């Protein structure tokens, strides 16, 4: 089914139910559908089908209607993460050829700054776009399966911005993928959203819409406000990245009893440290579902279900391949190799990147994930690392995740990021950045000794540096590049 088919079906089935809650306001399915239609009609007055439209908007009551409006108008949404810099925003608008930007009230200053840089940019307030739009009526264009609906910029591990394009068909398939592999919502269920809706959290709006569930939306994540919202709105499902989960468990107001309404906690987007998920399971029980996905193939390439979390031996895995995925490992059986897949929810390609598309999607339609993984005899997928993160030291391959996981087993370590740095003797040397737990102490030699007892000598960090916090992206992923790049500045090659 196409994205717009799913929007229409949800509206027809669940009209009077509450679709969105934000602060003290709420909106029914009928109201959200009518509003998105009016907004779409206004947008198409000045934009042609297939044109890119920039979106610079924080989480709010209008997030869902705005998403739906773009699809109904046959426009391509280009969401701009509000946490990025002005230069990055300007580059994204230029790369996508955006000539109209819709912004929320709290992003007005940034929108004006972008207008100063791009004088041909037309600005439109989201609140102005929505005002009275629920009574605007008229014909909407008929979409085609291959119509692009969103272009999401990502830099991955390469540092080069590229826009991942999804279509009416692939984005509709994302919703069905979520329902087939992660959640099974019922009418009047609700999912609490605190992460930015431009990313993974946003892909869960449509599945709940289709089943009659509500989106309970917060402007952002703050542990105390989040715990209060769980108690107030009584959501049945949460979507958390590991960083958010850790902050909740550490908060003095955390009490498992306050989460009594929650039956499913979905996590993903970045690796989950084993000590953290063990602690979470001890506090909240087996309510957890993990997804492995990427912007190029959201949301669940593989999933680790609630029952799987009862087996400690499965916690390092990201689960079995999803029901709607063909997955293979580009290596002999039982060995680690690149994860490759074919699925109805994979991207159409990168916008205006023919060479990169040829590198990423094979002639047979297989998507190269650039993740290294292995399948065990029971069909569970375990990721080893990213191809671009692998360290080659003295001719041996070292996967940073393996070293990070080992450091995280030390009781004093809260976070760890491992990178490769230039070394005249070994080519690259293993360097670890470590954040200690509050009130804990551990020296460099103690941590190296901890690793030395359990890892091959060439995997033990040659150097350990203590930092106050790991730099993270807008979606909670560690910014490995920010730590690694200064060591390679001025070098012609990114490996020694």
């Amino acid at each position: 089914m196409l994205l717009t088919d799913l929007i229409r079906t949800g509206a027809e089935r669940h009209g009077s139910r509450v679709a969105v809650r934000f602060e003290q306001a709420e909106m029914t399915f009928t109201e959200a559908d009518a509003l998105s239609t009016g907004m779409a009609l206004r947008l198409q007055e000045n934009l042609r089908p297939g044109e890119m439209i920039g979106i610079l908007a924080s989480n709010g009551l209008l997030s869902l209607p705005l998403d739906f409006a773009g699809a109904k108008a046959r426009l391509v949404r280009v969401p701009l993460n509000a946490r990025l810099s002005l230069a990055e925003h300007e580059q994204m608008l230029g790369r996508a050829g955006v000539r109209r930007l819709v912004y929320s009230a709290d992003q007005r200053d940034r929108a004006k700054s972008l207008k100063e840089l791009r004088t041909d940019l037309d600005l439109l307030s989201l609140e102005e776009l929505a005002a009275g739009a629920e009574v605007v009526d008229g014909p909407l264009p008929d979409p085609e399966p291959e119509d692009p609906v969103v272009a999401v910029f990502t830099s991955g591990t390469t540092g080069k911005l590229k826009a991942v394009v999804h279509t009416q068909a692939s984005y509709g398939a994302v919703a069905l993928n979520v329902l087939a592999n992660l959640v099974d919502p019922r009418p009047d269920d609700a999912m609490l959203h605190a992460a930015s809706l431009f990313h993974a959290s946003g892909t869960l709006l449509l599945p709940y819409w289709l089943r009659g569930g509500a989106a309970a939306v917060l402007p952002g994540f703050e542990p105390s406000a989040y715990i209060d919202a769980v108690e107030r709105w009584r959501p049945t499902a949460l979507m958390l990245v590991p960083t958010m989960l850790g902050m909740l468990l550490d908060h003095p107001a955390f009490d498992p009893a306050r989460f009594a309404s929650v039956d499913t906690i979905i996590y993903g987007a970045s690796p989950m440290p084993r000590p953290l998920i063990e602690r979470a399971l001890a506090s909240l029980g087996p309510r957890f579902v993990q997804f492995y996905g990427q912007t190029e193939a959201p949301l669940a390439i593989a999933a680790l279900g609630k029952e799987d979390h009862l087996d400690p031996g499965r916690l390092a895995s990201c689960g079995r391949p999803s029901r709607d995925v063909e997955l293979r490992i580009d290596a002999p059986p039982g060995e680690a190799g690149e994860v490759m897949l074919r699925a109805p929810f994979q991207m159409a390609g990168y916008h205006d990147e023919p060479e990169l598309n040829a590198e990423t999607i094979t002639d047979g339609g297989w998507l190269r994930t650039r993740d290294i993984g292995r399948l065990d005899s029971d069909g569970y997928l375990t990721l080893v690392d990213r191809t671009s993160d692998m360290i080659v030291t003295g001719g041996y391959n070292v996967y940073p995740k393996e070293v990070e996981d080992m450091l995280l087993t030390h009781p004093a370590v809260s976070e760890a990021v491992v990178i490769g740095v230039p070394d005249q003797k070994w080519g690259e040397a293993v360097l670890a950045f470590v954040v200690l737990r509050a009130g804990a102490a551990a020296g460099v030699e103690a941590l190296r000794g901890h690793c030395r007892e359990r890892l091959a000598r060439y995997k033990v960090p040659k150097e350990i540096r203590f930092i106050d916090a790991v730099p993270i992206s807008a979606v909670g992923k560690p910014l490995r590049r920010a730590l690694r790049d200064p060591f390679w500045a001025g070098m012609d090659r990114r490996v020694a």
Side-chain angles (χ1 to χ4, degrees):
M1 296 179 73
L2 304 188
L3 168 56
T4 46
D5 293 333
L6 299 179
I7 295 171
R8 183 178 60 253
T9 299
E12 290 172 350
R13 289 180 179 175
H14 313 294
S16 62
R17 287 192 168 93
V18 173
V20 187
R21 291 187 174 92
F22 180 76
E23 295 178 343
Q24 306 306 314
E26 60 183 37
M27 191 180 297
T28 68
F29 281 76
T30 297
E31 291 168 340
D33 185 54
L35 183 60
S36 66
T37 295
M39 293 165 71
L41 290 166
R42 286 177 171 174
L43 288 173
Q44 69 179 20
E45 290 175 359
N46 297 302
L47 294 168
R48 301 180 302 276
E51 276 201 76
M52 303 271 189
I53 179 168
I55 307 293
L56 181 58
S58 302
N59 286 4
L61 189 68
L62 298 176
S63 298
L64 182 143
L66 178 59
D67 281 6
F68 289 0
K72 290 182 177 183
R74 293 186 72 184
L75 299 175
V76 188
R77 290 184 298 112
V78 182
L80 303 182
N81 181 349
R83 292 179 60 179
L84 297 180
S85 68
L86 177 65
E88 288 169 314
H89 283 164
E90 196 274 334
Q91 184 183 356
M92 290 173 177
L93 295 177
R95 293 278 298 279
V98 170
R99 65 186 184 93
R100 168 162 279 200
L101 176 67
V102 176
Y103 65 91
S104 56
D106 62 313
Q107 298 297 326
R108 181 180 292 108
D109 290 345
R110 172 55 59 90
K112 289 181 177 179
S113 296
L114 286 167
K115 173 72 173 177
E116 293 174 0
L117 292 173
R118 306 189 65 83
T119 55
D120 60 340
L121 185 65
D122 180 25
L123 300 182
L124 177 60
S125 159
L126 173 57
E127 291 72 22
E128 179 183 337
L129 173 65
E134 67 275 5
V135 299
V136 177
D137 196 14
L140 288 169
D142 293 325
E144 298 292 337
E146 64 275 12
D147 281 353
V149 294
V150 65
V152 182
F153 274 95
T154 175
S155 59
T157 56
T158 65
K160 178 185 177 183
L161 282 173
K162 50 190 181 291
V164 175
V165 176
H166 281 280
T167 64
Q168 281 272 351
S170 72
Y171 211 79
V174 171
L176 300 181
N177 164 264
V178 169
L179 293 173
N181 300 283
L182 298 179
V183 291
D184 186 21
R186 298 288 187 265
D188 300 322
D189 279 357
M191 169 163 276
L192 181 60
H193 299 267
S196 173
L197 291 173
F198 92 94
H199 204 256
S201 193
T203 63
L204 291 154
L205 291 173
L206 189 59
Y208 274 75
W209 171 274
L210 186 60
R211 293 286 185 84
V217 181
L218 291 171
F221 179 78
E222 191 283 317
S224 180
Y226 190 91
I227 293 170
D228 288 344
V230 170
E231 213 164 30
R232 180 173 72 256
W233 283 330
R234 298 188 60 77
T236 52
L238 311 177
M239 165 71 186
L240 297 168
V241 299
T243 303
M244 294 161 64
L245 178 59
M247 293 171 69
L248 285 176
L249 295 177
D250 288 337
H251 197 275
F254 174 77
D255 179 352
R258 303 181 74 174
F259 289 72
S261 68
V262 178
D263 60 45
T264 303
I265 303 174
I266 301 172
Y267 68 91
S270 63
M272 173 68 79
R274 188 183 181 104
L276 177 58
I277 190 59
E278 289 176 340
R279 184 178 167 206
L281 286 165
S283 294
L284 294 165
R287 310 184 209 183
F288 293 87
V289 177
Q290 179 193 168
F291 69 88
Y292 157 57
Q294 53 184 209
T295 309
E296 291 83 348
L299 187 63
I301 297 170
L304 191 73
K306 296 176 186 177
E307 300 80 8
D308 295 321
H309 283 78
L310 295 172
D311 182 354
R314 296 293 184 205
L315 294 181
S317 164
C318 53
R320 286 191 172 108
S322 293
R323 301 170 190 176
D324 44 354
V325 171
E326 291 181 79
L327 186 145
R328 66 182 175 88
I329 303 296
D330 191 20
E335 295 186 18
E338 184 173 9
V339 179
M340 303 181 71
L341 67 103
R342 288 192 298 205
F345 54 83
Q346 73 187 60
M347 69 173 182
Y350 298 110
H351 173 65
D352 199 24
E353 296 278 2
E355 292 183 4
L356 184 57
N357 285 331
E359 294 173 7
T360 305
I361 303 174
T362 71
D363 291 339
W366 291 90
L367 177 70
R368 298 184 57 195
T369 66
R370 295 181 174 83
D371 288 326
I372 303 297
R374 62 169 61 89
L375 287 168
D376 67 17
S377 58
D378 294 322
Y380 284 80
L381 174 67
T382 298
L383 296 183
V384 179
D385 223 309
R386 294 282 290 176
T387 54
S388 50
D389 289 340
M390 187 178 71
I391 302 165
V392 181
T393 180
Y396 290 97
N397 295 342
V398 176
Y399 294 106
K401 184 176 183 297
E402 181 182 10
V403 184
E404 290 163 358
D405 287 349
M406 183 54 60
L407 285 165
L408 288 168
T409 64
H410 192 284
V413 175
S414 172
E415 297 178 83
V417 174
V418 171
I419 62 170
V421 297
D423 187 277
Q424 290 187 350
K425 180 177 181 180
W426 302 109
E428 286 184 279
V430 179
L431 186 151
F433 290 91
V434 167
V435 179
L436 295 178
R437 295 188 182 280
V444 169
E445 285 310 310
L447 294 180
R448 293 186 75 242
H450 178 78
C451 293
R452 195 178 295 114
E453 292 174 2
R454 298 162 178 83
L455 294 174
R457 293 186 66 85
Y458 66 87
K459 298 179 182 179
V460 175
K462 297 287 192 297
E463 182 181 355
I464 294 177
R465 298 189 182 187
F466 296 102
I467 55 177
D468 293 330
V470 171
I472 59 172
S473 72
V475 295
K477 294 184 179 181
L479 285 175
R480 192 183 305 274
R481 233 177 28 253
L483 297 171
R484 185 178 189 269
D485 283 357
F487 293 93
W488 296 88
M491 294 197 169
D492 294 331
R493 300 166 61 188
R494 304 301 291 175
V495 294

